[in-house]
Amino acid sequence: MMLLLNAKGPHPRGEGKRRTRLCLLIAAFMAFSPLAHAFDLQQLSEQLAKPHVIHGDFIQEKHLRALPKPLSSTGTFVLAKDHGLLWQLKTPLQQDYRITPQGIARRDGTQWQMLPGKSAGAEQNRLFLAVLQGDSSGLQRDFDLQLQGQADHWNLTLTPRSLLLKQVFKHIDIEGGALVQRIELHETQGDSTLLTMHNSISHQPLTAAEQHDFAQ
């Protein structure tokens, strides 16, 4: 989940972009759903459709085989069911991203700049839309899903089906209780990314600034 978007690693630029986009999509799917009673995909879909706005913080650690220590970043997120996702990096650099049905955009000063959309990005945007709509069938087109545990402590494993995703990921593990707390992506080349969400709340509406960001 390459949310350290400007961190330099051993991967080619194109592969890094695909990884970045997929990780944002997985974050959009898993970071913001109350799953207190989600023990099958139907219940999961129903829970995904309930929250209108979710605010929270994240910590990400990117473990690269070539580096002795993980690359860490922190930030905040806003997920609005009727609009999309704002992903706001705070440290070690500041950079804002927005995902909407139109694609992924990066803030450039006071404006949003759309990132190039290619075939892999279009496929990931389709996945993102399925997630926002609580469409588990959309996820099942790309992953085998296995849900285990109890309401207060559960885990979900996503195993890629498509050739594109199999080239990047072995599997994705998600853990949580009332909300998702931890996402770990295991890559085929041996690298991994750990994303921890905390302070997530679903009772706060969009601020005027957030509404403006989504409207641009």
Side-chain angles (χ1 to χ4, degrees):
M1 189 174 288
M2 196 76 173
L3 299 179
L4 268 174
L5 295 159
N6 290 341
K8 294 183 178 179
H11 304 295
R13 178 174 298 179
E15 184 177 343
K17 288 182 179 179
R18 288 194 296 271
R19 217 176 252 107
T20 294
R21 291 177 178 177
L22 178 61
C23 293
L24 287 170
L25 305 182
I26 295 297
F29 169 51
M30 298 313 304
F32 327 117
S33 341
L35 299 175
H37 303 287
F39 296 110
D40 60 48
L41 294 179
Q42 179 60 38
Q43 291 169 313
L44 177 59
S45 295
E46 293 172 356
Q47 290 292 341
L48 281 169
K50 288 182 179 179
H52 289 279
V53 180
I54 305 292
H55 293 81
D57 303 322
F58 70 83
I59 301 172
Q60 179 203 291
E61 293 183 349
K62 177 67 179 179
H63 297 263
L64 299 173
R65 294 167 299 155
L67 299 178
K69 294 183 179 180
L71 302 173
S72 298
S73 63
T74 64
T76 62
F77 64 82
V78 182
L79 177 68
K81 185 171 65 174
D82 296 331
H83 300 283
L85 172 70
L86 294 176
W87 193 261
Q88 301 163 320
L89 288 170
K90 302 299 183 183
T91 63
L93 53 90
Q94 294 188 4
Q95 183 65 73
D96 295 346
Y97 288 83
R98 181 187 67 194
I99 300 177
T100 68
Q102 288 70 44
I104 300 177
R106 179 175 56 204
R107 192 194 300 273
D108 184 6
T110 60
Q111 302 296 320
W112 289 93
Q113 182 68 42
M114 293 296 296
L115 299 181
K118 298 182 180 179
S119 58
E123 179 69 9
Q124 293 159 8
N125 286 338
R126 182 193 61 75
L127 172 63
F128 176 64
L129 290 176
V131 167
L132 283 184
Q133 296 165 358
D135 178 11
S136 61
S137 63
L139 286 175
Q140 288 179 295
R141 283 191 290 269
D142 293 308
F143 297 96
D144 289 320
L145 309 180
Q146 183 177 9
L147 181 63
Q148 297 178 332
Q150 303 299 321
D152 60 348
H153 188 191
W154 52 265
N155 64 79
L156 180 67
T157 299
L158 283 67
T159 304
R161 286 183 173 180
S162 71
L163 292 177
L164 174 62
L165 296 181
K166 284 181 178 180
Q167 291 174 1
V168 179
F169 295 104
K170 291 182 178 179
H171 57 90
I172 299 166
D173 297 325
I174 302 100
E175 298 180 5
L179 294 171
V180 172
Q181 300 165 350
R182 186 176 184 272
I183 302 172
E184 188 166 12
L185 296 97
H186 301 270
E187 302 178 15
T188 56
Q189 296 182 355
D191 299 334
S192 65
T193 300
L194 175 62
L195 183 66
T196 305
M197 279 73 62
H198 56 103
N199 301 328
S200 299
I201 57 174
S202 58
H203 60 268
Q204 180 178 316
L206 291 175
T207 65
E210 291 163 353
Q211 292 182 30
H212 182 264
D213 285 336
F214 280 123
Q216 283 191 321

